[in-house]
mmCIF file of all heavy atoms in Angstrom:
data_model
loop_
_atom_site.group_PDB
_atom_site.id
_atom_site.type_symbol
_atom_site.label_atom_id
_atom_site.label_comp_id
_atom_site.label_asym_id
_atom_site.label_seq_id
_atom_site.Cartn_x
_atom_site.Cartn_y
_atom_site.Cartn_z
ATOM 1 N N ARG A 85 -15.562 9.626 20.518
ATOM 2 C CA ARG A 85 -16.564 8.941 19.693
ATOM 3 C C ARG A 85 -16.103 8.872 18.233
ATOM 4 O O ARG A 85 -16.216 7.829 17.596
ATOM 5 C CB ARG A 85 -17.910 9.654 19.814
ATOM 6 C CG ARG A 85 -19.006 8.970 19.039
ATOM 7 C CD ARG A 85 -20.376 9.511 19.426
ATOM 8 N NE ARG A 85 -21.418 8.882 18.673
ATOM 9 C CZ ARG A 85 -21.895 7.665 18.881
ATOM 10 N NH1 ARG A 85 -21.408 6.945 19.857
ATOM 11 N NH2 ARG A 85 -22.860 7.179 18.138
ATOM 12 N N ALA A 86 -15.583 9.975 17.713
ATOM 13 C CA ALA A 86 -15.102 9.996 16.328
ATOM 14 C C ALA A 86 -13.911 9.056 16.162
ATOM 15 O O ALA A 86 -13.809 8.344 15.154
ATOM 16 C CB ALA A 86 -14.728 11.416 15.914
ATOM 17 N N LYS A 87 -13.017 9.024 17.147
ATOM 18 C CA LYS A 87 -11.874 8.103 17.091
ATOM 19 C C LYS A 87 -12.348 6.657 17.049
ATOM 20 O O LYS A 87 -11.813 5.836 16.302
ATOM 21 C CB LYS A 87 -10.944 8.322 18.284
ATOM 22 C CG LYS A 87 -10.123 9.586 18.199
ATOM 23 C CD LYS A 87 -9.240 9.732 19.425
ATOM 24 C CE LYS A 87 -8.427 11.010 19.342
ATOM 25 N NZ LYS A 87 -7.554 11.183 20.514
ATOM 26 N N ALA A 88 -13.351 6.340 17.860
ATOM 27 C CA ALA A 88 -13.886 4.982 17.882
ATOM 28 C C ALA A 88 -14.499 4.629 16.529
ATOM 29 O O ALA A 88 -14.337 3.506 16.040
ATOM 30 C CB ALA A 88 -14.913 4.828 18.999
ATOM 31 N N MET A 89 -15.192 5.573 15.912
ATOM 32 C CA MET A 89 -15.803 5.322 14.597
ATOM 33 C C MET A 89 -14.722 5.111 13.530
ATOM 34 O O MET A 89 -14.832 4.205 12.699
ATOM 35 C CB MET A 89 -16.721 6.484 14.198
ATOM 36 C CG MET A 89 -17.923 6.649 15.086
ATOM 37 S SD MET A 89 -19.052 5.261 14.993
ATOM 38 C CE MET A 89 -19.780 5.531 13.414
ATOM 39 N N ILE A 90 -13.683 5.945 13.557
ATOM 40 C CA ILE A 90 -12.575 5.793 12.608
ATOM 41 C C ILE A 90 -11.900 4.444 12.809
ATOM 42 O O ILE A 90 -11.603 3.726 11.845
ATOM 43 C CB ILE A 90 -11.565 6.949 12.765
ATOM 44 C CG1 ILE A 90 -12.182 8.270 12.314
ATOM 45 C CG2 ILE A 90 -10.281 6.658 11.995
ATOM 46 C CD1 ILE A 90 -11.373 9.494 12.710
ATOM 47 N N ASP A 91 -11.661 4.094 14.057
ATOM 48 C CA ASP A 91 -11.021 2.807 14.362
ATOM 49 C C ASP A 91 -11.892 1.627 13.939
ATOM 50 O O ASP A 91 -11.381 0.631 13.415
ATOM 51 C CB ASP A 91 -10.689 2.714 15.849
ATOM 52 C CG ASP A 91 -9.525 3.601 16.250
ATOM 53 O OD1 ASP A 91 -8.774 4.038 15.356
ATOM 54 O OD2 ASP A 91 -9.373 3.858 17.458
ATOM 55 N N LEU A 92 -13.198 1.724 14.178
ATOM 56 C CA LEU A 92 -14.106 0.651 13.746
ATOM 57 C C LEU A 92 -14.005 0.427 12.244
ATOM 58 O O LEU A 92 -13.888 -0.704 11.775
ATOM 59 C CB LEU A 92 -15.553 0.980 14.126
ATOM 60 C CG LEU A 92 -15.972 0.649 15.547
ATOM 61 C CD1 LEU A 92 -17.359 1.204 15.836
ATOM 62 C CD2 LEU A 92 -15.928 -0.837 15.786
ATOM 63 N N PHE A 93 -14.059 1.514 11.490
ATOM 64 C CA PHE A 93 -13.938 1.413 10.040
ATOM 65 C C PHE A 93 -12.597 0.789 9.662
ATOM 66 O O PHE A 93 -12.527 -0.122 8.839
ATOM 67 C CB PHE A 93 -14.078 2.798 9.398
ATOM 68 C CG PHE A 93 -13.803 2.794 7.922
ATOM 69 C CD1 PHE A 93 -14.765 2.351 7.024
ATOM 70 C CD2 PHE A 93 -12.573 3.215 7.426
ATOM 71 C CE1 PHE A 93 -14.506 2.326 5.660
ATOM 72 C CE2 PHE A 93 -12.310 3.198 6.065
ATOM 73 C CZ PHE A 93 -13.279 2.752 5.177
ATOM 74 N N GLY A 94 -11.533 1.278 10.259
ATOM 75 C CA GLY A 94 -10.200 0.759 9.944
ATOM 76 C C GLY A 94 -10.046 -0.702 10.283
ATOM 77 O O GLY A 94 -9.478 -1.474 9.502
ATOM 78 N N HIS A 95 -10.555 -1.113 11.445
ATOM 79 C CA HIS A 95 -10.404 -2.504 11.863
ATOM 80 C C HIS A 95 -11.231 -3.447 11.009
ATOM 81 O O HIS A 95 -10.763 -4.535 10.652
ATOM 82 C CB HIS A 95 -10.785 -2.669 13.336
ATOM 83 C CG HIS A 95 -9.845 -1.975 14.257
ATOM 84 N ND1 HIS A 95 -10.263 -1.178 15.286
ATOM 85 C CD2 HIS A 95 -8.491 -1.914 14.291
ATOM 86 C CE1 HIS A 95 -9.217 -0.678 15.913
ATOM 87 N NE2 HIS A 95 -8.129 -1.113 15.317
ATOM 88 N N VAL A 96 -12.439 -3.056 10.663
ATOM 89 C CA VAL A 96 -13.305 -3.953 9.891
ATOM 90 C C VAL A 96 -12.942 -3.942 8.405
ATOM 91 O O VAL A 96 -12.672 -4.983 7.815
ATOM 92 C CB VAL A 96 -14.792 -3.579 10.084
ATOM 93 C CG1 VAL A 96 -15.683 -4.390 9.157
ATOM 94 C CG2 VAL A 96 -15.206 -3.785 11.529
ATOM 95 N N VAL A 97 -12.933 -2.765 7.805
ATOM 96 C CA VAL A 97 -12.784 -2.671 6.356
ATOM 97 C C VAL A 97 -11.329 -2.825 5.920
ATOM 98 O O VAL A 97 -11.017 -3.650 5.058
ATOM 99 C CB VAL A 97 -13.371 -1.336 5.835
ATOM 100 C CG1 VAL A 97 -13.127 -1.177 4.349
ATOM 101 C CG2 VAL A 97 -14.850 -1.254 6.154
ATOM 102 N N LEU A 98 -10.450 -2.045 6.512
ATOM 103 C CA LEU A 98 -9.065 -2.036 6.041
ATOM 104 C C LEU A 98 -8.268 -3.228 6.587
ATOM 105 O O LEU A 98 -7.713 -4.006 5.821
ATOM 106 C CB LEU A 98 -8.401 -0.715 6.407
ATOM 107 C CG LEU A 98 -9.108 0.540 5.867
ATOM 108 C CD1 LEU A 98 -8.436 1.798 6.376
ATOM 109 C CD2 LEU A 98 -9.173 0.523 4.360
ATOM 110 N N LEU A 99 -8.216 -3.356 7.900
ATOM 111 C CA LEU A 99 -7.427 -4.435 8.502
ATOM 112 C C LEU A 99 -8.053 -5.799 8.213
ATOM 113 O O LEU A 99 -7.402 -6.691 7.669
ATOM 114 C CB LEU A 99 -7.287 -4.216 10.015
ATOM 115 C CG LEU A 99 -6.461 -5.258 10.765
ATOM 116 C CD1 LEU A 99 -4.996 -5.123 10.386
ATOM 117 C CD2 LEU A 99 -6.640 -5.102 12.259
ATOM 118 N N GLY A 100 -9.321 -5.957 8.557
ATOM 119 C CA GLY A 100 -9.985 -7.247 8.370
ATOM 120 C C GLY A 100 -10.037 -7.665 6.908
ATOM 121 O O GLY A 100 -9.746 -8.812 6.570
ATOM 122 N N GLY A 101 -10.386 -6.726 6.051
ATOM 123 C CA GLY A 101 -10.491 -7.048 4.627
ATOM 124 C C GLY A 101 -9.163 -7.448 4.014
ATOM 125 O O GLY A 101 -9.064 -8.453 3.300
ATOM 126 N N SER A 102 -8.128 -6.680 4.301
ATOM 127 C CA SER A 102 -6.824 -6.989 3.696
ATOM 128 C C SER A 102 -6.237 -8.284 4.253
ATOM 129 O O SER A 102 -5.658 -9.080 3.509
ATOM 130 C CB SER A 102 -5.848 -5.826 3.878
ATOM 131 O OG SER A 102 -5.617 -5.583 5.245
ATOM 132 N N LEU A 103 -6.415 -8.526 5.545
ATOM 133 C CA LEU A 103 -5.871 -9.757 6.122
ATOM 134 C C LEU A 103 -6.646 -10.980 5.660
ATOM 135 O O LEU A 103 -6.050 -12.047 5.441
ATOM 136 C CB LEU A 103 -5.859 -9.676 7.641
ATOM 137 C CG LEU A 103 -4.832 -8.711 8.219
ATOM 138 C CD1 LEU A 103 -5.007 -8.575 9.721
ATOM 139 C CD2 LEU A 103 -3.422 -9.153 7.880
ATOM 140 N N ALA A 104 -7.949 -10.854 5.503
ATOM 141 C CA ALA A 104 -8.741 -11.973 5.000
ATOM 142 C C ALA A 104 -8.303 -12.328 3.578
ATOM 143 O O ALA A 104 -8.175 -13.515 3.244
ATOM 144 C CB ALA A 104 -10.229 -11.628 5.035
#
Side-chain angles (χ1 to χ4, degrees):
R85 183 167 179 77
K87 287 180 181 180
M89 295 295 286
I90 292 168
D91 287 343
L92 277 172
F93 173 79
H95 293 133
V96 173
V97 176
L98 303 175
L99 181 70
S102 62
L103 289 173

